[in-house]
Amino acid sequence: MKTPQLSFSLSSMDRARDRIVSALIRMTLAIAGSDRPAGFMSYSSSLRILNWVARIYGFEAKDLLNQDGAQLALLNLLNSISHYGIETPQRLKAPVSVVWSLSYRCNLRCMHCYQNASQPSSDELTLGEQLGVVDQLARIGVSMVVLSGGEPLTNPNLDRLIERIRMHRMAVSIDSNGVLMDRGIVNHLKALGVSSVELSLDSVHAKSHDQFRGLDGAFQKTLDAVELCSQAGIFTTVATTATTLNQAESQQLISLAREHGASRVVFFDLIPAGRGKDVQMLSLSQRQLLDLMALVTNQSLRDKGETFVELPQHVIYSSIWNGNSISDRPEKALSVERFTVSSFFDCAGRGNLYRRLAPYLGGCPAGRMYCNIQPNGDVTPCMFMPTYPIAGNLRKQSFEEIWNSPVFEALRDRKRLKGKCRECRFVAVCGGCRAKAAAYEGDYLASDPTCPIQGAANA
């Protein structure tokens, strides 16, 4: 594959438009006189102005406001533009979503677990501390909290946390292995206000999945959970860790997930963190990553469901493909729950909104659009970076202080990247995977050593 001849650069007219829009948003917020959704959205003239601004960029703001967390996400964006102006990539005053690894407690022992989860540690946040963190996330303007682990369903305080999150009108998603889910638990999560779940499935063969996950019978229980969540009206994602063990099954995995009701299928590349270090030899080659991106892109252009691959380089790869994609529909492309994974990496489709917004979205979202909270209150840029770098600890600093820490600020300035990533002409829309730089190079600002685009260019 030759390096695609694409240009994501903005013209002088685009830059002028961005300056005008920034000024309009500053003026609108000043007139509205509020930085909270209730006050702001009740000001009808302001909303009309914002709908007009949104149309300039190809979407309707009113289509987004009825979703969980959507008003918070929109207000976060507007406050960010008012404060920083429109930037490439865009800087945010608060992350869109936070993935919270609540505990190391887990009922499985997965071969690749980046958390190295099994038993809870003695220094995990107490319930009181966790509830205080939820309040901090709400104050800064987070729109979605993704509860992860370990296995979050083993947490005895899960209900209290979800209730507190929903009290602040933030959306709630659950990352789970699905083994503990039955109809009663699923209906209970729905009643609490959980809007989406992500369930792990790593093979179409029961024996292979169970071996990978460390529990006999896990395969069928996970498939049952996919069906139950879908039937309950919870947006259901099936997540697969792509390895040499299951690469040949990728199409079958998509079909199996769809047959059981999954609305989305996402492939994650193996990150050598935690126990993932012990199975690093199962990582896909650059050629195999290209093949996976091709399969996923083809699927997204012919499937009513959503299919993604969690690689920032997919922004570049998929942009050369035209057709009809689900991301051509702004109301789908900008739904808050799609930011539980980096679905904006998918730029396939003639009218793909993400392709037009790629310079603003900026590829790898670590420390820019989302971040991770560890069980002991450490805050890191990404869930796949559980121990390095640590931007701060919530027992010592506020979440707002940590969000504005030097660790995160470095990720918002692409000039701080090193090596081929800094030199790459796609740095503004990709930036490489920061978790891979941290895991392989020991430097979260280093070049992404597994980049399939750079690999193809040098082949």
Side-chain angles (χ1 to χ4, degrees):
M1 171 191 165
K2 295 182 179 179
T3 304
Q5 298 301 308
L6 298 169
S7 175
F8 294 98
S9 59
L10 299 179
S11 68
S12 57
M13 290 185 63
D14 291 331
R15 298 289 186 185
R17 173 203 62 194
D18 290 348
R19 288 193 293 271
I20 293 171
V21 170
S22 297
L24 279 170
I25 288 176
R26 289 191 188 97
M27 180 177 65
T28 302
L29 288 179
I31 293 172
S34 174
D35 63 351
R36 302 304 302 163
F40 177 72
M41 295 304 173
S42 64
Y43 198 83
S44 59
S45 61
S46 297
L47 186 55
R48 285 197 296 271
I49 294 172
L50 287 172
N51 277 322
W52 175 77
V53 170
R55 292 188 193 106
I56 296 175
Y57 292 91
F59 64 96
E60 295 282 344
K62 64 182 180 182
D63 293 334
L64 308 177
L65 299 181
N66 294 324
Q67 306 164 33
D68 285 347
Q71 290 188 8
L72 296 171
L74 181 58
L75 190 61
N76 179 25
L77 176 61
L78 296 174
N79 282 329
S80 300
I81 292 174
S82 177
H83 188 79
Y84 300 114
I86 295 178
E87 298 184 318
T88 53
Q90 183 60 46
R91 183 178 303 206
L92 296 177
K93 295 203 75 177
V96 176
S97 63
V98 171
V99 177
W100 192 345
S101 303
L102 294 174
S103 172
Y104 293 106
R105 185 197 307 268
C106 192
N107 57 325
L108 301 186
R109 188 168 176 82
C110 304
M111 292 171 58
H112 69 309
C113 180
Y114 55 87
Q115 282 289 113
N116 198 16
S118 57
Q119 298 296 322
S121 63
S122 60
D123 63 345
E124 295 179 1
L125 297 177
T126 66
L127 173 61
E129 289 173 322
Q130 290 175 332
L131 295 175
V133 169
V134 172
D135 296 341
Q136 290 188 52
L137 299 181
R139 279 196 295 272
I140 194 176
V142 171
S143 54
M144 171 171 277
V145 181
V146 182
L147 300 177
S148 186
E151 171 52 52
L153 294 184
T154 65
N155 192 314
N157 299 314
L158 186 64
D159 286 13
R160 294 280 303 278
L161 285 170
I162 294 173
E163 289 167 355
R164 189 68 154 248
I165 293 166
R166 294 298 296 138
M167 182 186 78
H168 291 293
R169 302 171 63 196
M170 295 182 285
V172 182
S173 182
I174 300 284
D175 283 358
S176 172
N177 55 50
V179 169
L180 298 177
M181 288 186 176
D182 58 24
R183 190 175 300 278
I185 289 176
V186 170
N187 289 338
H188 180 65
L189 292 175
K190 174 71 173 178
L192 285 173
V194 173
S195 57
S196 61
V197 297
E198 183 177 289
L199 305 173
S200 302
L201 188 68
D202 293 295
S203 178
V204 297
H205 304 293
K207 184 177 180 180
S208 297
H209 173 85
D210 292 353
Q211 286 179 340
F212 195 73
R213 292 282 164 179
L215 179 71
D216 290 342
F219 176 78
Q220 190 58 53
K221 290 178 180 179
T222 300
L223 283 181
D224 291 345
V226 173
E227 285 194 359
L228 290 169
C229 290
S230 177
Q231 291 168 1
I234 299 174
F235 188 92
T236 306
T237 296
V238 164
T240 296
T241 300
T243 68
T244 55
L245 298 176
N246 62 15
Q247 189 207 10
E249 305 173 18
S250 298
Q251 184 63 65
Q252 294 171 277
L253 273 162
I254 296 170
S255 299
L256 183 65
R258 292 276 185 263
E259 289 168 6
H260 286 77
S263 299
R264 175 199 289 145
V265 181
V266 59
F267 291 89
F268 289 86
D269 198 15
L270 176 65
I271 304 294
R275 290 198 293 271
K277 296 176 184 177
D278 300 330
V279 293
Q280 183 175 330
M281 77 292 296
L282 300 179
S283 298
L284 299 186
S285 67
Q286 292 172 325
R287 177 69 258 176
Q288 289 169 324
L289 289 175
L290 288 172
D291 291 342
L292 179 61
M293 288 194 291
L295 183 148
V296 166
T297 304
N298 265 313
Q299 190 75 27
S300 71
L301 292 173
R302 60 184 175 86
D303 194 342
K304 292 182 180 179
E306 303 177 16
T307 311
F308 304 120
V309 59
E310 183 80 350
L311 290 170
Q313 292 86 3
H314 197 52
V315 171
I316 305 156
Y317 183 87
S318 60
S319 291
I320 63 177
W321 297 60
N322 286 319
N324 295 310
S325 167
I326 196 169
S327 298
D328 291 347
R329 297 160 57 189
E331 74 280 6
K332 288 288 187 180
L334 294 176
S335 61
V336 172
E337 55 82 20
R338 288 187 75 173
F339 285 83
T340 56
V341 296
S342 299
S343 52
F344 53 83
F345 292 165
D346 174 29
C347 290
R350 293 186 183 90
N352 194 306
L353 182 60
Y354 296 142
R355 195 185 300 187
R356 299 200 301 274
L357 298 180
Y360 308 104
L361 292 171
C364 180
R368 297 179 40 255
M369 303 185 78
Y370 100 107
C371 66
N372 169 247
I373 299 175
Q374 285 291 299
N376 68 348
D378 285 343
V379 181
T380 75
C382 172
M383 61 184 177
F384 295 114
M385 304 160 79
T387 60
Y388 164 82
I390 296 172
N393 185 279
L394 290 165
R395 285 185 167 127
K396 301 175 183 177
Q397 301 155 275
S398 70
F399 184 84
E400 184 172 7
E401 289 172 330
I402 297 171
W403 182 247
N404 294 305
S405 68
V407 168
F408 286 162
E409 285 297 313
L411 290 165
R412 296 160 196 164
D413 181 3
R414 291 287 162 81
K415 294 177 182 177
R416 299 281 299 276
L417 298 184
K418 303 171 184 177
K420 291 182 179 179
C421 277
R422 178 175 179 174
E423 299 165 2
C424 181
R425 60 195 176 97
F426 299 119
V427 63
V429 297
C430 173
C433 176
R434 297 298 94 216
K436 288 184 178 181
Y440 285 100
E441 305 294 333
D443 182 351
Y444 75 108
L445 298 177
S447 184
D448 179 349
T450 70
C451 175
I453 301 298
Q454 290 280 0
N458 296 329

